[in-house]
Protein backbone atom coordinates (compact mmCIF):
# COMPACT_ATOMS: atom_id res chain seq x y z
CA UNK A 1 0.00 0.00 0.00
CA UNK A 2 1.10 3.57 -0.66
CA UNK A 3 1.92 5.19 2.69
CA UNK A 4 0.81 8.55 1.33
CA UNK A 5 -2.78 7.40 0.79
CA UNK A 6 -3.44 4.52 3.19
CA UNK A 7 -2.30 4.05 6.79
CA UNK A 8 -2.34 0.82 8.78
CA UNK A 9 -3.40 0.80 12.41
CA UNK A 10 -0.89 -0.90 14.68
CA UNK A 11 -3.70 -2.61 16.62
CA UNK A 12 -5.11 -4.69 13.78
CA UNK A 13 -5.83 -7.66 16.06
CA UNK A 14 -8.41 -5.55 17.86
CA UNK A 15 -10.05 -4.21 14.71
CA UNK A 16 -12.22 -5.67 12.00
CA UNK A 17 -11.10 -5.60 8.40
CA UNK A 18 -12.88 -3.74 5.62
CA UNK A 19 -14.67 -6.91 4.46
CA UNK A 20 -16.31 -7.43 7.86
CA UNK A 21 -17.69 -3.90 7.98
CA UNK A 22 -19.01 -4.25 4.43
CA UNK A 23 -20.89 -7.37 5.53
CA UNK A 24 -22.19 -5.62 8.65
CA UNK A 25 -23.15 -2.50 6.69
CA UNK A 26 -25.20 -4.54 4.24
CA UNK A 27 -26.83 -6.40 7.14
CA UNK A 28 -27.79 -3.11 8.79
CA UNK A 29 -29.35 -1.85 5.55
CA UNK A 30 -31.38 -5.06 5.28
CA UNK A 31 -32.49 -4.83 8.91
CA UNK A 32 -33.45 -1.16 8.48
CA UNK A 33 -35.57 -1.92 5.40
CA UNK A 34 -37.44 -4.81 7.02
CA UNK A 35 -40.91 -4.20 8.52
CA UNK A 36 -40.04 -6.34 11.54
CA UNK A 37 -37.31 -8.52 13.10
CA UNK A 38 -35.49 -10.89 10.74
CA UNK A 39 -34.12 -14.33 11.42
CA UNK A 40 -30.46 -15.20 11.07
CA UNK A 41 -31.29 -17.28 8.01
CA UNK A 42 -33.17 -14.44 6.31
CA UNK A 43 -30.35 -11.92 6.74
CA UNK A 44 -27.68 -14.42 5.72
CA UNK A 45 -29.61 -15.36 2.58
CA UNK A 46 -29.94 -11.71 1.52
CA UNK A 47 -26.20 -11.19 1.99
CA UNK A 48 -25.29 -14.40 0.20
CA UNK A 49 -23.55 -16.18 3.08
CA UNK A 50 -24.37 -19.34 4.96
CA UNK A 51 -26.04 -18.69 8.34
CA UNK A 52 -23.05 -20.17 10.19
CA UNK A 53 -20.48 -18.03 8.34
CA UNK A 54 -22.57 -14.88 8.72
CA UNK A 55 -22.96 -15.57 12.45
CA UNK A 56 -19.18 -15.93 12.86
CA UNK A 57 -18.34 -12.78 10.89
CA UNK A 58 -21.01 -10.73 12.63
CA UNK A 59 -20.18 -11.91 16.14
CA UNK A 60 -16.47 -11.30 15.61
CA UNK A 61 -17.16 -7.70 14.59
CA UNK A 62 -19.96 -6.79 17.01
CA UNK A 63 -19.16 -9.02 19.95
CA UNK A 64 -22.80 -10.16 20.10
CA UNK A 65 -25.12 -12.25 17.95
CA UNK A 66 -26.96 -10.76 14.96
CA UNK A 67 -30.23 -11.17 16.89
CA UNK A 68 -28.94 -9.17 19.87
CA UNK A 69 -27.34 -6.52 17.69
CA UNK A 70 -30.59 -6.15 15.77
CA UNK A 71 -32.22 -5.10 19.04
CA UNK A 72 -29.57 -2.40 19.52
CA UNK A 73 -30.40 -0.81 16.15
CA UNK A 74 -34.03 0.00 16.97
CA UNK A 75 -35.68 3.22 18.03
CA UNK A 76 -36.85 1.41 21.13
CA UNK A 77 -33.25 0.77 22.15
CA UNK A 78 -32.39 4.46 21.69
CA UNK A 79 -35.25 5.34 24.02
CA UNK A 80 -34.02 2.80 26.56
CA UNK A 81 -30.56 4.36 26.37
CA UNK A 82 -32.08 7.70 27.32
CA UNK A 83 -33.88 6.08 30.23
CA UNK A 84 -31.03 4.00 31.59
CA UNK A 85 -27.75 5.55 30.36
CA UNK A 86 -28.64 9.17 29.82
CA UNK A 87 -25.79 11.51 30.76
CA UNK A 88 -27.16 14.98 31.50
CA UNK A 89 -23.61 16.40 31.32
CA UNK A 90 -24.37 18.77 34.20
CA UNK A 91 -24.15 15.94 36.73
CA UNK A 92 -21.88 13.50 34.91
CA UNK A 93 -18.66 14.95 36.28
CA UNK A 94 -20.01 15.34 39.83
CA UNK A 95 -21.15 11.73 39.96
CA UNK A 96 -17.91 10.40 38.54
CA UNK A 97 -19.69 9.08 35.47
CA UNK A 98 -17.39 10.95 33.15
CA UNK A 99 -14.47 9.06 34.68
CA UNK A 100 -15.13 6.23 32.26
CA UNK A 101 -15.29 8.57 29.27
CA UNK A 102 -12.54 9.06 26.75
CA UNK A 103 -11.77 12.58 27.94
CA UNK A 104 -10.55 11.17 31.27
CA UNK A 105 -9.18 7.89 29.99
CA UNK A 106 -5.52 8.91 30.16
CA UNK A 107 -4.88 8.95 26.44
CA UNK A 108 -6.81 11.94 25.05
CA UNK A 109 -5.38 15.46 25.02
CA UNK A 110 -6.75 18.42 23.13
CA UNK A 111 -6.32 22.12 22.54
CA UNK A 112 -8.35 24.62 20.57
CA UNK A 113 -7.38 27.03 17.83
CA UNK A 114 -7.84 30.69 18.71
CA UNK A 115 -10.91 32.46 17.27
CA UNK A 116 -8.62 34.68 15.19
CA UNK A 117 -6.81 31.72 13.65
CA UNK A 118 -10.15 30.05 12.90
CA UNK A 119 -11.45 33.19 11.18
CA UNK A 120 -8.49 33.06 8.78
CA UNK A 121 -9.78 29.80 7.32
CA UNK A 122 -6.69 27.76 8.15
CA UNK A 123 -4.26 30.17 6.47
CA UNK A 124 -0.71 29.23 7.47
CA UNK A 125 -1.70 25.74 8.62
CA UNK A 126 -0.09 22.63 7.18
CA UNK A 127 -2.53 19.75 7.51
CA UNK A 128 -1.37 16.18 6.91
CA UNK A 129 -3.85 13.63 5.57
CA UNK A 130 -4.05 9.85 5.44
CA UNK A 131 -6.49 6.96 4.99
CA UNK A 132 -6.83 4.21 7.57
CA UNK A 133 -8.98 1.15 8.16
CA UNK A 134 -11.41 1.24 11.08
CA UNK A 135 -14.17 -1.00 12.44
CA UNK A 136 -16.58 1.23 10.47
CA UNK A 137 -14.89 1.24 7.10
CA UNK A 138 -12.44 3.69 5.53
CA UNK A 139 -11.36 6.47 7.89
CA UNK A 140 -9.81 9.74 6.68
CA UNK A 141 -7.55 11.42 9.23
CA UNK A 142 -6.24 14.98 9.07
CA UNK A 143 -3.86 16.56 11.54
CA UNK A 144 -1.62 19.51 12.30
CA UNK A 145 1.58 19.45 14.34
CA UNK A 146 -0.62 19.76 17.44
CA UNK A 147 -2.91 16.80 16.82
CA UNK A 148 -5.79 15.35 14.83
CA UNK A 149 -8.06 18.05 13.43
CA UNK A 150 -10.31 15.87 11.29
CA UNK A 151 -11.67 12.31 11.22
CA UNK A 152 -14.19 11.38 8.54
CA UNK A 153 -15.99 8.06 7.98
CA UNK A 154 -16.40 7.27 4.28
CA UNK A 155 -18.54 4.13 4.38
CA UNK A 156 -21.72 5.89 3.23
CA UNK A 157 -20.53 8.84 1.14
CA UNK A 158 -17.26 7.57 -0.31
CA UNK A 159 -13.65 8.68 -0.10
CA UNK A 160 -13.82 11.59 -2.56
CA UNK A 161 -16.80 13.26 -0.84
CA UNK A 162 -15.31 12.68 2.62
CA UNK A 163 -12.03 14.34 1.68
CA UNK A 164 -13.78 17.27 -0.01
CA UNK A 165 -16.00 17.72 3.06
CA UNK A 166 -13.09 18.01 5.49
CA UNK A 167 -10.88 20.11 3.22
CA UNK A 168 -13.54 22.78 2.69
CA UNK A 169 -13.64 23.49 6.42
CA UNK A 170 -10.15 25.03 6.26
CA UNK A 171 -10.03 26.38 2.69
CA UNK A 172 -6.77 28.29 3.04
CA UNK A 173 -4.73 25.51 4.66
CA UNK A 174 -1.99 23.57 2.90
CA UNK A 175 -2.78 19.84 2.68
CA UNK A 176 -0.12 17.14 2.32
CA UNK A 177 -0.57 13.33 2.26
CA UNK A 178 1.39 11.86 5.19
CA UNK A 179 -0.35 8.88 6.79
CA UNK A 180 2.80 7.78 8.59
CA UNK A 181 2.98 10.97 10.66
CA UNK A 182 -0.66 10.57 11.73
CA UNK A 183 -0.52 6.82 12.41
CA UNK A 184 0.40 6.94 16.15
CA UNK A 185 -2.49 9.30 16.97
CA UNK A 186 -4.96 7.37 14.82
CA UNK A 187 -3.88 4.06 16.33
CA UNK A 188 -4.40 5.50 19.83
CA UNK A 189 -7.84 6.74 18.78
CA UNK A 190 -8.88 3.33 17.42
CA UNK A 191 -7.47 1.21 20.23
CA UNK A 192 -7.83 3.69 23.13
CA UNK A 193 -4.21 3.16 24.10
CA UNK A 194 -1.19 5.40 23.82
CA UNK A 195 -1.85 9.13 23.43
CA UNK A 196 -4.31 10.63 20.96
CA UNK A 197 -3.93 14.38 20.55
CA UNK A 198 -6.59 16.60 18.99
CA UNK A 199 -6.39 20.12 17.60
CA UNK A 200 -9.92 21.55 17.60
CA UNK A 201 -10.38 24.03 14.76
CA UNK A 202 -13.74 25.76 15.07
CA UNK A 203 -15.57 28.82 16.34
CA UNK A 204 -15.92 29.45 20.10
CA UNK A 205 -19.54 28.22 20.23
CA UNK A 206 -18.71 25.08 18.26
CA UNK A 207 -15.78 24.26 20.54
CA UNK A 208 -18.00 24.59 23.64
CA UNK A 209 -20.41 22.08 22.11
CA UNK A 210 -17.62 19.68 21.16
CA UNK A 211 -16.11 19.95 24.65
CA UNK A 212 -19.50 19.02 26.12
CA UNK A 213 -19.67 15.97 23.83
CA UNK A 214 -16.28 14.85 25.15
CA UNK A 215 -17.91 14.48 28.58
CA UNK A 216 -20.44 11.89 27.39
CA UNK A 217 -19.09 8.54 28.63
CA UNK A 218 -18.67 5.48 26.46
CA UNK A 219 -21.90 3.52 26.19
CA UNK A 220 -24.04 6.50 27.22
CA UNK A 221 -26.04 9.13 25.34
CA UNK A 222 -27.22 12.70 25.82
CA UNK A 223 -29.67 15.07 24.13
CA UNK A 224 -29.21 18.27 22.16
CA UNK A 225 -31.11 20.19 24.83
CA UNK A 226 -28.82 18.84 27.57
CA UNK A 227 -25.80 20.02 25.62
CA UNK A 228 -27.36 23.47 25.21
CA UNK A 229 -27.98 23.67 28.97
CA UNK A 230 -24.47 22.42 29.79
CA UNK A 231 -22.80 25.19 27.76
CA UNK A 232 -25.01 27.90 29.24
CA UNK A 233 -27.31 28.45 26.22
CA UNK A 234 -30.46 26.45 27.04
CA UNK A 235 -32.51 28.04 24.25
CA UNK A 236 -29.92 27.40 21.54
CA UNK A 237 -30.92 23.80 20.80
CA UNK A 238 -31.03 24.33 17.04
CA UNK A 239 -27.60 25.99 17.02
CA UNK A 240 -26.25 23.13 19.13
CA UNK A 241 -27.58 20.65 16.59
CA UNK A 242 -25.76 22.52 13.83
CA UNK A 243 -22.51 22.54 15.82
CA UNK A 244 -22.85 18.83 16.56
CA UNK A 245 -23.28 18.19 12.84
CA UNK A 246 -20.17 20.25 12.07
CA UNK A 247 -17.97 18.24 14.42
CA UNK A 248 -14.85 17.51 12.32
CA UNK A 249 -13.45 14.76 14.55
CA UNK A 250 -15.98 11.96 14.42
CA UNK A 251 -15.66 9.10 16.90
CA UNK A 252 -13.20 10.87 19.25
CA UNK A 253 -15.69 13.72 19.71
CA UNK A 254 -18.72 11.43 20.02
CA UNK A 255 -21.46 13.37 18.23
CA UNK A 256 -23.15 10.03 17.49
CA UNK A 257 -24.16 9.95 21.19
CA UNK A 258 -26.44 12.99 20.82
CA UNK A 259 -30.13 12.06 20.46
CA UNK A 260 -33.41 13.93 20.41
CA UNK A 261 -35.46 14.07 23.60
CA UNK A 262 -37.95 11.64 22.06
CA UNK A 263 -35.22 9.03 21.65
CA UNK A 264 -35.13 9.55 17.89
CA UNK A 265 -31.65 9.32 16.42
CA UNK A 266 -31.59 12.78 14.88
CA UNK A 267 -29.08 13.24 12.08
CA UNK A 268 -25.48 12.19 11.54
CA UNK A 269 -23.05 13.86 9.19
CA UNK A 270 -21.45 10.63 7.95
CA UNK A 271 -24.72 8.74 7.42
CA UNK A 272 -27.41 7.32 9.69
CA UNK A 273 -26.37 3.66 9.18
CA UNK A 274 -22.93 4.61 10.58
CA UNK A 275 -24.51 6.34 13.61
CA UNK A 276 -26.69 3.32 14.36
CA UNK A 277 -23.70 1.02 13.96
CA UNK A 278 -21.58 3.15 16.31
CA UNK A 279 -24.24 3.26 19.04
CA UNK A 280 -25.00 -0.45 18.75
CA UNK A 281 -21.28 -1.35 18.76
CA UNK A 282 -20.69 0.73 21.90
CA UNK A 283 -23.77 -0.73 23.60
CA UNK A 284 -22.56 -4.27 22.91
CA UNK A 285 -19.17 -3.56 24.45
CA UNK A 286 -20.56 -1.62 27.42
CA UNK A 287 -22.98 -4.41 28.32
CA UNK A 288 -20.26 -7.03 27.89
Amino acid sequence: MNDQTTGQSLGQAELTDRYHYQVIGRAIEIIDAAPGPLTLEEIAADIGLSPAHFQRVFSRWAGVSPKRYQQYLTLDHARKLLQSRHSTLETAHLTGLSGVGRLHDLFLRWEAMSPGDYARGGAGLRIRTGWFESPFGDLLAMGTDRGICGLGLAAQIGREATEADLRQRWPKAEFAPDARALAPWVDAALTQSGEARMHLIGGPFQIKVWEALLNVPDGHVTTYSDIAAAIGHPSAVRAVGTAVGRNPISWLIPCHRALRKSGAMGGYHWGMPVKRALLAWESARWEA
Side-chain angles (χ1 to χ4, degrees):
M1 293 184 180
N2 187 330
D3 179 64
Q4 291 187 327
T5 58
T6 302
Q8 288 293 326
S9 167
L10 304 178
Q12 287 297 313
E14 299 183 23
L15 301 176
T16 184
D17 57 27
R18 185 183 294 112
Y19 164 71
H20 281 183
Y21 182 70
Q22 288 174 345
V23 170
I24 303 313
R26 286 164 59 196
I28 290 170
E29 291 174 359
I30 292 167
I31 291 167
D32 283 347
L38 299 173
T39 66
L40 173 68
E41 290 74 18
E42 288 172 328
I43 302 173
D46 281 344
I47 290 176
L49 299 176
S50 71
H53 183 53
F54 174 61
Q55 174 99 354
R56 285 195 300 271
V57 170
F58 199 104
S59 297
R60 177 182 170 186
W61 181 85
V64 295
S65 69
K67 179 179 179 180
R68 183 63 173 154
Y69 195 80
Q70 194 171 171
Q71 296 170 353
Y72 291 146
L73 293 172
T74 65
L75 174 60
D76 182 58
H77 178 65
R79 288 173 175 154
K80 287 178 180 176
L81 280 177
L82 282 177
Q83 293 170 1
S84 63
R85 283 183 263 150
H86 176 194
S87 169
T88 64
L89 299 181
E90 296 174 86
T91 60
H93 182 69
L94 295 176
T95 61
L97 192 60
S98 59
V100 299
R102 288 174 171 169
L103 180 60
H104 304 281
D105 218 6
L106 301 180
F107 81 99
L108 187 59
R109 292 175 55 186
W110 67 274
E111 60 179 291
M113 171 175 276
S114 71
D117 287 338
Y118 170 66
R120 287 191 284 273
L125 274 183
R126 187 173 190 270
I127 297 178
R128 298 178 176 89
T129 69
W131 285 98
F132 298 81
E133 290 185 5
S134 84
F136 303 93
D138 289 342
L139 176 77
L140 174 62
M142 294 187 173
T144 68
D145 290 338
R146 298 182 186 181
I148 294 170
C149 65
L151 287 178
L153 293 162
Q156 293 296 307
I157 66 173
R159 282 190 170 204
E160 185 176 343
T162 301
E163 185 151 10
D165 183 292
L166 287 180
R167 280 176 176 256
Q168 58 86 25
R169 298 168 190 245
W170 313 292
K172 298 179 182 179
E174 174 193 349
F175 294 90
D178 192 352
R180 183 171 297 177
L182 299 171
W185 291 335
V186 174
D187 182 64
L190 295 177
T191 63
Q192 295 195 34
S193 62
E195 182 180 75
R197 295 187 183 182
M198 294 193 303
H199 186 190
L200 304 190
I201 304 177
F205 183 85
Q206 290 174 322
I207 288 172
K208 284 184 179 180
V209 170
W210 302 339
E211 183 180 4
L213 285 167
L214 285 166
N215 282 298
V216 182
D218 289 352
H220 292 69
V221 295
T222 191
T223 66
Y224 299 105
S225 56
D226 282 338
I227 296 171
I231 65 172
H233 297 278
S235 62
V237 176
R238 186 179 296 273
V240 163
T242 299
V244 168
R246 292 293 295 167
N247 165 31
I249 309 178
S250 56
W251 197 336
L252 277 180
I253 299 177
C255 53
H256 59 277
R257 297 179 192 158
L259 306 178
R260 293 175 180 165
K261 270 189 172 181
S262 64
M265 290 283 188
Y268 189 61
H269 192 76
W270 305 111
M272 286 303 297
V274 177
K275 180 171 185 173
R276 283 190 288 271
L278 280 162
L279 286 172
W281 189 75
E282 289 183 346
S283 285
R285 278 151 180 72
W286 190 89
E287 292 189 8

